[in-house]
Coordinates of all heavy atoms in Angstrom, one line a residue:
I1 N 0.8 -1.2 0.0 CA 0.0 0.0 0.0 C 0.9 1.3 0.0 O 0.5 2.2 -0.6 CB -1.0 0.0 1.2 CG1 -2.0 -1.1 1.1 CG2 -1.7 1.3 1.4 CD1 -2.9 -1.3 2.2
C2 N 2.0 1.2 0.6 CA 2.8 2.4 0.8 C 3.4 2.9 -0.6 O 3.5 4.1 -0.8 CB 4.0 2.1 1.7 SG 3.5 2.1 3.4
A3 N 3.8 1.9 -1.4 CA 4.5 2.3 -2.7 C 3.6 3.2 -3.6 O 4.1 4.3 -4.0 CB 5.0 1.1 -3.4
P4 N 2.4 2.9 -3.9 CA 1.6 3.8 -4.7 C 1.3 5.1 -4.0 O 1.3 6.2 -4.7 CB 0.3 3.0 -4.9 CG 0.4 1.7 -4.4 CD 1.7 1.6 -3.6
V5 N 1.1 5.1 -2.7 CA 0.9 6.4 -2.0 C 2.1 7.3 -2.1 O 2.0 8.5 -2.3 CB 0.5 6.1 -0.5 CG1 0.3 7.4 0.2 CG2 -0.8 5.3 -0.5
M6 N 3.3 6.6 -1.9 CA 4.6 7.4 -2.1 C 4.7 8.0 -3.5 O 5.1 9.2 -3.6 CB 5.8 6.5 -1.8 CG 6.1 6.2 -0.4 SD 7.6 5.4 -0.3 CE 7.2 4.2 1.0
Q7 N 4.3 7.3 -4.5 CA 4.3 7.8 -5.8 C 3.4 9.0 -6.0 O 3.8 10.0 -6.6 CB 4.0 6.7 -6.8 CG 5.0 5.6 -7.0 CD 6.3 6.1 -7.5 OE1 6.4 6.9 -8.4 NE2 7.4 5.6 -7.0
L8 N 2.2 8.9 -5.4 CA 1.3 10.0 -5.5 C 1.9 11.2 -4.8 O 1.8 12.3 -5.3 CB -0.1 9.6 -4.9 CG -1.0 8.8 -5.7 CD1 -2.1 8.3 -4.9 CD2 -1.4 9.5 -6.9
K9 N 2.4 11.0 -3.6 CA 3.0 12.1 -2.8 C 4.1 12.8 -3.6 O 4.2 14.0 -3.6 CB 3.5 11.6 -1.5 CG 4.1 12.6 -0.6 CD 4.7 12.1 0.6 CE 5.5 13.1 1.3 NZ 6.4 12.6 2.3
A10 N 4.9 12.0 -4.2 CA 6.1 12.6 -4.9 C 5.7 13.2 -6.3 O 6.3 14.2 -6.6 CB 7.1 11.5 -5.2
N11 N 4.8 12.6 -7.0 CA 4.5 13.1 -8.4 C 3.4 14.0 -8.6 O 3.3 14.7 -9.6 CB 4.4 11.8 -9.3 CG 5.7 11.1 -9.3 OD1 6.8 11.6 -9.5 ND2 5.6 9.8 -9.2
A12 N 2.4 14.0 -7.7 CA 1.2 14.8 -7.9 C 1.5 16.3 -8.0 O 1.0 17.0 -8.9 CB 0.2 14.6 -6.7
P13 N 2.4 16.9 -7.2 CA 2.7 18.3 -7.4 C 3.3 18.6 -8.8 O 3.1 19.7 -9.3 CB 3.7 18.6 -6.3 CG 3.5 17.6 -5.2 CD 3.1 16.3 -6.0
T14 N 4.0 17.7 -9.4 CA 4.6 17.9 -10.7 C 3.5 18.2 -11.7 O 3.8 19.0 -12.6 CB 5.4 16.6 -11.1 OG1 6.4 16.3 -10.2 CG2 6.0 16.8 -12.5
F15 N 2.3 17.6 -11.5 CA 1.2 17.8 -12.5 C 0.2 18.8 -11.9 O -0.9 18.9 -12.4 CB 0.6 16.5 -12.8 CG 1.5 15.5 -13.4 CD1 2.2 14.6 -12.7 CD2 1.8 15.6 -14.8 CE1 3.1 13.7 -13.3 CE2 2.7 14.8 -15.4 CZ 3.4 13.8 -14.6
K16 N 0.6 19.6 -10.9 CA -0.2 20.7 -10.3 C -1.4 20.1 -9.5 O -2.3 20.8 -9.3 CB -0.7 21.6 -11.4 CG 0.4 22.2 -12.3 CD 1.1 23.4 -11.6 CE 2.0 24.1 -12.6 NZ 3.4 23.8 -12.5
Y17 N -1.3 18.9 -9.0 CA -2.3 18.3 -8.2 C -1.8 18.4 -6.7 O -1.5 17.3 -6.1 CB -2.6 16.9 -8.6 CG -3.6 16.9 -9.8 CD1 -3.1 16.6 -11.1 CD2 -4.9 17.1 -9.7 CE1 -3.9 16.6 -12.2 CE2 -5.8 17.0 -10.7 CZ -5.3 16.8 -12.0 OH -6.1 16.7 -13.1
D18 N -1.6 19.5 -6.2 CA -1.0 19.7 -4.9 C -1.9 19.1 -3.8 O -1.3 18.5 -2.8 CB -0.8 21.2 -4.6 CG 0.2 21.8 -5.5 OD1 1.2 21.2 -6.0 OD2 0.0 23.0 -5.9
L19 N -3.2 19.2 -4.0 CA -4.1 18.6 -3.0 C -3.9 17.1 -2.9 O -3.9 16.5 -1.8 CB -5.5 18.9 -3.3 CG -6.6 18.3 -2.4 CD1 -6.4 18.7 -0.9 CD2 -8.0 18.8 -2.8
V20 N -3.7 16.4 -4.1 CA -3.5 15.0 -4.1 C -2.2 14.7 -3.3 O -2.2 13.7 -2.6 CB -3.4 14.5 -5.6 CG1 -3.0 13.0 -5.6 CG2 -4.8 14.6 -6.2
G21 N -1.2 15.4 -3.6 CA 0.1 15.2 -2.8 C -0.1 15.4 -1.3 O 0.5 14.6 -0.6
S22 N -0.8 16.4 -0.9 CA -1.0 16.6 0.5 C -1.8 15.5 1.1 O -1.5 15.0 2.2 CB -1.8 17.9 0.7 OG -1.0 19.0 0.3
L23 N -2.9 15.0 0.5 CA -3.7 13.9 1.0 C -2.8 12.6 1.0 O -3.0 11.9 2.0 CB -4.9 13.7 0.2 CG -6.0 14.9 0.3 CD1 -7.1 14.7 -0.8 CD2 -6.5 15.0 1.7
A24 N -2.0 12.5 0.0 CA -1.1 11.3 0.0 C -0.2 11.3 1.1 O 0.2 10.3 1.7 CB -0.4 11.2 -1.4
N25 N 0.3 12.5 1.5 CA 1.2 12.6 2.6 C 0.5 12.2 3.9 O 1.1 11.4 4.7 CB 1.7 14.1 2.7 CG 2.7 14.2 3.8 OD1 3.7 13.4 4.0 ND2 2.6 15.3 4.6
I26 N -0.7 12.6 4.1 CA -1.4 12.2 5.3 C -1.7 10.7 5.3 O -1.5 10.0 6.3 CB -2.8 13.0 5.4 CG1 -2.6 14.5 5.5 CG2 -3.7 12.4 6.5 CD1 -3.8 15.3 5.3
M27 N -2.0 10.2 4.1 CA -2.3 8.7 4.0 C -1.0 7.9 4.2 O -1.0 6.9 4.9 CB -2.9 8.4 2.7 CG -3.3 7.0 2.5 SD -4.4 6.3 3.8 CE -5.7 7.5 3.9
L28 N 0.1 8.4 3.7 CA 1.4 7.7 3.9 C 1.7 7.6 5.4 O 2.1 6.5 5.9 CB 2.5 8.4 3.1 CG 3.8 7.7 3.2 CD1 3.7 6.3 2.6 CD2 4.9 8.5 2.4
N29 N 1.5 8.7 6.1 CA 1.8 8.7 7.5 C 0.9 7.7 8.2 O 1.3 7.0 9.1 CB 1.6 10.1 8.1 CG 1.9 10.2 9.6 OD1 3.0 9.7 10.0 ND2 1.0 10.7 10.4
F30 N -0.4 7.6 7.8 CA -1.3 6.7 8.4 C -0.9 5.2 8.1 O -0.8 4.5 9.1 CB -2.7 6.9 7.8 CG -3.8 5.9 8.2 CD1 -4.2 6.0 9.5 CD2 -4.3 5.0 7.4 CE1 -5.2 5.1 10.0 CE2 -5.2 4.1 7.8 CZ -5.7 4.1 9.1
V31 N -0.6 4.9 6.9 CA -0.3 3.5 6.6 C 1.0 3.0 7.2 O 1.2 1.9 7.5 CB -0.4 3.1 5.1 CG1 -1.8 3.3 4.6 CG2 0.6 3.9 4.3
E32 N 1.9 4.0 7.3 CA 3.2 3.6 7.9 C 3.1 3.4 9.4 O 3.9 2.7 10.0 CB 4.2 4.7 7.7 CG 4.7 4.8 6.3 CD 5.7 5.9 6.0 OE1 5.7 6.9 6.8 OE2 6.5 5.7 5.1
N33 N 2.0 3.8 10.0 CA 1.9 3.7 11.5 C 0.8 2.7 12.0 O 0.6 2.5 13.2 CB 1.6 5.1 12.1 CG 2.8 5.9 12.1 OD1 3.8 5.7 12.8 ND2 2.8 7.0 11.2
I34 N 0.1 2.1 11.0 CA -0.9 1.1 11.5 C -0.2 -0.2 11.7 O 0.8 -0.5 11.0 CB -2.1 1.0 10.5 CG1 -1.7 0.6 9.1 CG2 -3.0 2.2 10.5 CD1 -2.8 0.4 8.1
K35 N -0.6 -1.0 12.6 CA 0.0 -2.3 12.9 C -0.5 -3.4 11.9 O 0.3 -4.2 11.6 CB -0.3 -2.7 14.3 CG 0.2 -1.6 15.3 CD 0.9 -2.2 16.5 CE 1.3 -1.2 17.6 NZ 2.1 -0.1 17.2
Y36 N -1.7 -3.3 11.6 CA -2.3 -4.3 10.6 C -3.5 -3.7 9.9 O -4.1 -2.7 10.4 CB -2.7 -5.6 11.3 CG -3.6 -5.4 12.5 CD1 -5.0 -5.5 12.3 CD2 -3.2 -5.2 13.8 CE1 -5.9 -5.4 13.3 CE2 -4.1 -5.0 14.8 CZ -5.4 -5.1 14.6 OH -6.3 -4.9 15.6
L37 N -3.9 -4.3 8.8 CA -5.0 -3.8 8.1 C -6.3 -4.4 8.6 O -6.6 -5.6 8.4 CB -4.9 -4.2 6.6 CG -3.9 -3.3 5.8 CD1 -3.8 -3.9 4.4 CD2 -4.4 -1.9 5.7
D38 N -7.1 -3.7 9.4 CA -8.4 -4.1 9.8 C -9.4 -3.4 9.0 O -9.1 -2.6 8.1 CB -8.5 -3.9 11.3 CG -8.4 -2.5 11.7 OD1 -8.5 -1.6 10.9 OD2 -8.2 -2.2 12.9
D39 N -10.7 -3.7 9.3 CA -11.8 -3.1 8.5 C -11.8 -1.6 8.6 O -12.1 -0.9 7.6 CB -13.2 -3.7 9.0 CG -13.4 -5.1 8.6 OD1 -12.7 -5.6 7.6 OD2 -14.2 -5.8 9.2
D40 N -11.5 -1.1 9.8 CA -11.6 0.4 9.9 C -10.5 1.1 9.1 O -10.7 2.1 8.4 CB -11.4 0.8 11.4 CG -12.6 0.5 12.2 OD1 -13.7 0.3 11.6 OD2 -12.5 0.3 13.4
A41 N -9.3 0.5 9.1 CA -8.2 1.0 8.3 C -8.5 0.9 6.8 O -8.2 1.9 6.1 CB -6.9 0.2 8.6
L42 N -9.1 -0.2 6.4 CA -9.4 -0.3 5.0 C -10.5 0.7 4.6 O -10.5 1.2 3.4 CB -9.9 -1.8 4.7 CG -8.8 -2.8 4.7 CD1 -9.4 -4.2 4.6 CD2 -7.8 -2.6 3.6
Q43 N -11.4 1.0 5.5 CA -12.4 2.0 5.1 C -11.8 3.4 4.9 O -12.2 4.1 4.0 CB -13.5 2.1 6.2 CG -14.4 0.9 6.2 CD -15.5 1.0 7.3 OE1 -15.5 1.9 8.1 NE2 -16.4 0.1 7.3
I44 N -10.8 3.7 5.8 CA -10.1 5.0 5.6 C -9.3 5.0 4.3 O -9.4 6.0 3.6 CB -9.2 5.3 6.8 CG1 -10.0 5.5 8.1 CG2 -8.2 6.5 6.5 CD1 -9.2 5.5 9.4
I45 N -8.7 4.0 4.0 CA -7.9 3.9 2.7 C -8.9 4.0 1.5 O -8.6 4.7 0.5 CB -7.1 2.6 2.7 CG1 -6.0 2.7 3.8 CG2 -6.5 2.4 1.3 CD1 -5.3 1.4 4.0
E46 N -10.0 3.3 1.6 CA -11.0 3.4 0.5 C -11.6 4.8 0.4 O -11.7 5.2 -0.8 CB -12.1 2.4 0.8 CG -13.1 2.3 -0.3 CD -14.2 1.3 0.0 OE1 -13.9 0.1 0.1 OE2 -15.4 1.7 0.0
A47 N -11.9 5.4 1.5 CA -12.4 6.8 1.4 C -11.3 7.7 0.7 O -11.7 8.6 -0.1 CB -12.7 7.3 2.8
H48 N -10.1 7.5 1.1 CA -9.0 8.3 0.5 C -8.9 8.1 -1.0 O -8.9 9.0 -1.8 CB -7.7 7.9 1.1 CG -6.5 8.5 0.5 ND1 -5.6 7.8 -0.3 CD2 -6.0 9.8 0.6 CE1 -4.6 8.7 -0.7 NE2 -4.9 9.8 -0.1
Q49 N -9.1 6.8 -1.4 CA -9.0 6.5 -2.9 C -10.2 7.1 -3.6 O -10.0 7.7 -4.7 CB -9.0 5.0 -3.1 CG -8.8 4.5 -4.5 CD -10.1 4.4 -5.3 OE1 -11.2 4.1 -4.7 NE2 -10.1 4.7 -6.5
K50 N -11.4 7.1 -3.0 CA -12.5 7.7 -3.6 C -12.4 9.2 -3.7 O -12.8 9.8 -4.7 CB -13.8 7.4 -2.9 CG -14.2 5.9 -3.0 CD -15.5 5.6 -2.2 CE -15.9 4.2 -2.4 NZ -17.1 3.8 -1.6
T51 N -11.8 9.8 -2.7 CA -11.6 11.3 -2.7 C -10.6 11.6 -3.8 O -10.8 12.6 -4.6 CB -11.0 11.7 -1.4 OG1 -12.0 11.4 -0.3 CG2 -10.8 13.2 -1.4
L52 N -9.5 10.9 -4.0 CA -8.6 11.1 -5.0 C -9.2 11.0 -6.4 O -8.9 11.8 -7.3 CB -7.3 10.2 -4.9 CG -6.5 10.4 -3.7 CD1 -5.3 9.4 -3.7 CD2 -6.0 11.8 -3.5
S53 N -10.0 10.0 -6.6 CA -10.7 9.8 -7.9 C -11.6 11.0 -8.2 O -11.6 11.4 -9.3 CB -11.5 8.5 -7.8 OG -10.7 7.4 -7.7
L54 N -12.3 11.5 -7.2 CA -13.1 12.7 -7.4 C -12.3 13.9 -7.8 O -12.6 14.7 -8.7 CB -13.9 13.0 -6.1 CG -14.7 14.3 -6.1 CD1 -15.9 14.2 -7.2 CD2 -15.3 14.6 -4.8
I55 N -11.2 14.1 -7.1 CA -10.3 15.2 -7.4 C -9.8 15.2 -8.8 O -9.8 16.2 -9.6 CB -9.1 15.3 -6.4 CG1 -9.6 15.6 -5.0 CG2 -8.0 16.3 -6.8 CD1 -8.6 15.4 -3.9
I56 N -9.3 14.0 -9.3 CA -8.8 13.8 -10.6 C -10.0 14.0 -11.6 O -9.8 14.7 -12.7 CB -8.1 12.5 -10.8 CG1 -7.0 12.3 -9.8 CG2 -7.7 12.2 -12.2 CD1 -5.9 13.4 -9.9
A57 N -11.1 13.4 -11.4 CA -12.2 13.5 -12.3 C -12.7 14.9 -12.5 O -13.1 15.3 -13.6 CB -13.4 12.6 -11.8
K58 N -12.6 15.7 -11.4 CA -13.0 17.1 -11.5 C -11.9 18.0 -11.9 O -12.1 19.3 -12.0 CB -13.6 17.6 -10.1 CG -14.8 16.9 -9.6 CD -16.0 17.4 -10.3 CE -17.2 16.7 -9.6 NZ -18.4 17.1 -10.2
K59 N -10.7 17.4 -12.1 CA -9.5 18.2 -12.6 C -9.2 19.4 -11.6 O -9.0 20.5 -12.0 CB -9.6 18.7 -14.0 CG -9.8 17.5 -15.0 CD -9.9 18.0 -16.4 CE -10.0 16.8 -17.3 NZ -10.3 17.1 -18.6
M60 N -9.3 19.1 -10.3 CA -9.1 20.1 -9.3 C -7.6 20.2 -9.0 O -7.0 19.6 -8.2 CB -9.8 19.7 -8.0 CG -11.3 19.6 -8.1 SD -12.0 18.9 -6.6 CE -11.5 20.1 -5.4
K61 N -7.0 21.1 -9.8 CA -5.5 21.4 -9.7 C -5.3 22.3 -8.5 O -6.2 23.0 -8.0 CB -5.0 22.0 -11.0 CG -5.3 21.0 -12.1 CD -4.0 20.8 -12.9 CE -4.4 19.8 -14.0 NZ -3.2 19.5 -14.8
G62 N -4.0 22.4 -8.1 CA -3.6 23.3 -7.0 C -4.0 22.7 -5.7 O -4.1 21.4 -5.5
D63 N -4.2 23.5 -4.7 CA -4.4 23.0 -3.3 C -5.9 22.8 -3.0 O -6.3 22.3 -1.9 CB -3.9 24.0 -2.3 CG -4.6 25.4 -2.3 OD1 -5.6 25.6 -3.0 OD2 -4.1 26.3 -1.5
G64 N -6.8 23.0 -3.9 CA -8.2 22.7 -3.8 C -9.0 23.8 -3.0 O -10.2 23.6 -2.7
G65 N -8.3 24.9 -2.6 CA -9.0 25.9 -1.9 C -9.7 25.5 -0.6 O -9.1 24.7 0.1
E66 N -10.8 26.0 -0.4 CA -11.6 25.6 0.8 C -12.0 24.2 0.9 O -11.9 23.5 1.9 CB -12.9 26.5 0.9 CG -13.5 26.5 2.2 CD -14.7 27.5 2.3 OE1 -14.6 28.6 1.8 OE2 -15.8 27.1 2.8
F67 N -12.3 23.6 -0.3 CA -12.6 22.2 -0.4 C -11.4 21.3 0.0 O -11.5 20.4 0.8 CB -13.0 21.8 -1.8 CG -13.2 20.3 -2.0 CD1 -14.4 19.7 -1.6 CD2 -12.2 19.6 -2.6 CE1 -14.6 18.3 -1.8 CE2 -12.4 18.2 -2.8 CZ -13.6 17.6 -2.4
G68 N -10.2 21.8 -0.5 CA -9.0 21.1 -0.1 C -8.7 21.1 1.4 O -8.3 20.1 1.9
L69 N -8.8 22.2 2.0 CA -8.6 22.3 3.4 C -9.6 21.4 4.2 O -9.2 20.7 5.1 CB -8.8 23.8 3.9 CG -7.7 24.8 3.5 CD1 -8.2 26.2 3.9 CD2 -6.4 24.4 4.2
K70 N -10.8 21.3 3.8 CA -11.8 20.5 4.4 C -11.4 19.0 4.2 O -11.5 18.2 5.2 CB -13.2 20.8 3.9 CG -14.3 19.9 4.5 CD -15.5 20.7 4.8 CE -16.6 19.9 5.4 NZ -16.5 19.7 6.8
M71 N -11.0 18.6 3.0 CA -10.6 17.2 2.8 C -9.4 16.8 3.6 O -9.4 15.7 4.2 CB -10.3 17.0 1.3 CG -11.5 17.1 0.4 SD -12.7 15.8 0.8 CE -13.9 16.7 1.8
K72 N -8.4 17.7 3.7 CA -7.2 17.4 4.5 C -7.6 17.3 6.0 O -7.2 16.3 6.7 CB -6.2 18.4 4.3 CG -5.5 18.4 3.0 CD -4.3 19.3 2.9 CE -4.7 20.7 2.7 NZ -3.6 21.6 2.5
D73 N -8.5 18.2 6.4 CA -8.9 18.2 7.8 C -9.7 16.9 8.2 O -9.4 16.2 9.2 CB -9.7 19.4 8.1 CG -10.1 19.5 9.6 OD1 -9.2 19.5 10.5 OD2 -11.3 19.7 9.9
E74 N -10.6 16.5 7.3 CA -11.4 15.3 7.5 C -10.6 14.1 7.5 O -10.8 13.1 8.3 CB -12.5 15.2 6.5 CG -13.6 16.3 6.6 CD -14.3 16.2 8.0 OE1 -14.6 15.1 8.5 OE2 -14.6 17.3 8.6
L75 N -9.6 14.0 6.6 CA -8.7 12.8 6.6 C -7.9 12.7 7.8 O -7.7 11.6 8.4 CB -7.9 12.8 5.3 CG -6.9 11.6 5.1 CD1 -7.7 10.3 5.1 CD2 -6.1 11.8 3.8
E76 N -7.3 13.8 8.2 CA -6.5 13.8 9.5 C -7.4 13.4 10.7 O -6.9 12.7 11.5 CB -5.9 15.2 9.7 CG -4.8 15.5 8.8 CD -4.2 16.9 8.9 OE1 -4.9 17.8 9.5 OE2 -3.1 17.1 8.4
K77 N -8.6 13.9 10.7 CA -9.5 13.6 11.8 C -9.8 12.1 11.8 O -9.8 11.4 12.9 CB -10.8 14.4 11.8 CG -10.7 15.8 12.2 CD -12.0 16.5 12.1 CE -11.9 18.0 12.5 NZ -13.1 18.7 12.3
A78 N -10.1 11.5 10.6 CA -10.4 10.1 10.5 C -9.2 9.3 11.0 O -9.3 8.3 11.8 CB -10.7 9.7 9.1
C79 N -8.0 9.6 10.6 CA -6.8 8.9 11.0 C -6.6 9.0 12.5 O -6.3 8.0 13.2 CB -5.6 9.5 10.3 SG -5.6 9.2 8.5
N80 N -6.8 10.2 13.1 CA -6.7 10.4 14.5 C -7.7 9.6 15.3 O -7.3 9.0 16.3 CB -6.8 11.9 14.9 CG -5.6 12.7 14.4 OD1 -4.5 12.2 14.2 ND2 -5.7 14.0 14.2
R81 N -8.9 9.6 14.8 CA -9.9 8.7 15.5 C -9.5 7.3 15.5 O -9.7 6.6 16.5 CB -11.3 8.9 14.8 CG -12.0 10.2 15.1 CD -13.5 10.2 14.7 NE -13.6 9.9 13.2 CZ -13.6 10.8 12.3 NH1 -13.5 12.1 12.6 NH2 -13.8 10.5 11.0
Y82 N -9.0 6.8 14.4 CA -8.5 5.4 14.3 C -7.5 5.1 15.3 O -7.6 4.1 16.1 CB -7.9 5.2 12.9 CG -7.4 3.8 12.7 CD1 -8.2 2.7 12.3 CD2 -6.1 3.5 13.0 CE1 -7.7 1.5 12.2 CE2 -5.6 2.2 12.9 CZ -6.4 1.2 12.5 OH -5.9 -0.1 12.4
F83 N -6.5 6.0 15.5 CA -5.4 5.7 16.4 C -5.9 5.9 17.9 O -5.5 5.2 18.8 CB -4.2 6.6 16.1 CG -3.5 6.2 14.9 CD1 -3.3 7.1 13.8 CD2 -3.0 4.9 14.7 CE1 -2.7 6.7 12.7 CE2 -2.3 4.6 13.6 CZ -2.2 5.5 12.5
T84 N -6.8 6.9 18.1 CA -7.3 7.0 19.4 C -8.1 5.8 19.9 O -8.0 5.3 21.0 CB -8.2 8.3 19.5 OG1 -7.5 9.4 19.2 CG2 -8.9 8.5 20.8
K85 N -8.9 5.3 18.9 CA -9.7 4.1 19.2 C -8.8 2.9 19.5 O -9.2 2.0 20.3 CB -10.6 3.8 18.0 CG -11.5 2.6 18.2 CD -12.4 2.5 16.9 CE -13.3 1.3 17.0 NZ -14.0 1.1 15.7
R86 N -7.6 2.8 19.0 CA -6.7 1.7 19.1 C -5.8 1.8 20.4 O -5.1 0.9 20.7 CB -5.8 1.5 17.9 CG -6.5 1.3 16.6 CD -7.2 0.0 16.6 NE -8.0 -0.3 15.4 CZ -9.2 0.2 15.1 NH1 -9.7 1.2 15.7 NH2 -9.8 -0.3 14.0
Q87 N -5.8 2.9 21.0 CA -4.9 3.1 22.2 C -5.5 2.5 23.5 O -6.6 2.3 23.7 CB -4.6 4.6 22.4 CG -3.7 5.1 21.4 CD -3.3 6.5 21.6 OE1 -3.9 7.2 22.4 NE2 -2.3 7.0 20.9

């Protein structure tokens, strides 16, 4: 799972998809810190994938503005809830 996320993080800004790169950074941090793939982790990963598909389909270049901030915030909150639940 890490390799494709790393590729997105590294290459998205090259094509002006800064929001994709930012979300990939959050997701990379998440997948590097989970101990195993359970249903909750898979749901977060799936939601991330769906969000990226929407961003690409809508050709949302740059940081995504207000929408981008909300997406980053929601992904970070989901990851934090996951880790809080596991402690």
Side-chain angles (χ1 to χ4, degrees):
I1 292 175
C2 286
V5 176
M6 280 188 221
Q7 290 295 321
L8 284 170
K9 179 185 172 197
N11 295 312
T14 302
F15 299 98
K16 308 280 190 259
Y17 282 101
D18 299 325
L19 178 56
V20 170
S22 296
L23 293 172
N25 184 46
I26 296 166
M27 185 54 50
L28 183 60
N29 185 49
F30 175 72
V31 296
E32 287 179 335
N33 287 292
I34 57 176
K35 301 224 187 300
Y36 57 91
L37 284 174
D38 59 17
D39 288 338
D40 291 337
L42 287 172
Q43 285 181 357
I44 291 170
I45 294 167
E46 183 179 298
H48 175 253
Q49 186 273 327
K50 287 179 181 179
T51 301
L52 295 182
S53 295
L54 174 67
I55 291 167
I56 300 301
K58 298 281 187 182
K59 298 181 183 176
M60 297 174 59
K61 301 232 177 182
D63 65 5
E66 196 173 315
F67 175 79
L69 287 173
K70 180 139 180 82
M71 290 297 98
K72 288 189 284 187
D73 184 53
E74 290 300 321
L75 182 57
E76 286 175 342
K77 285 179 181 177
C79 294
N80 289 337
R81 282 191 305 271
Y82 177 87
F83 290 120
T84 299
K85 185 178 175 182
R86 302 294 178 284
Q87 289 181 345

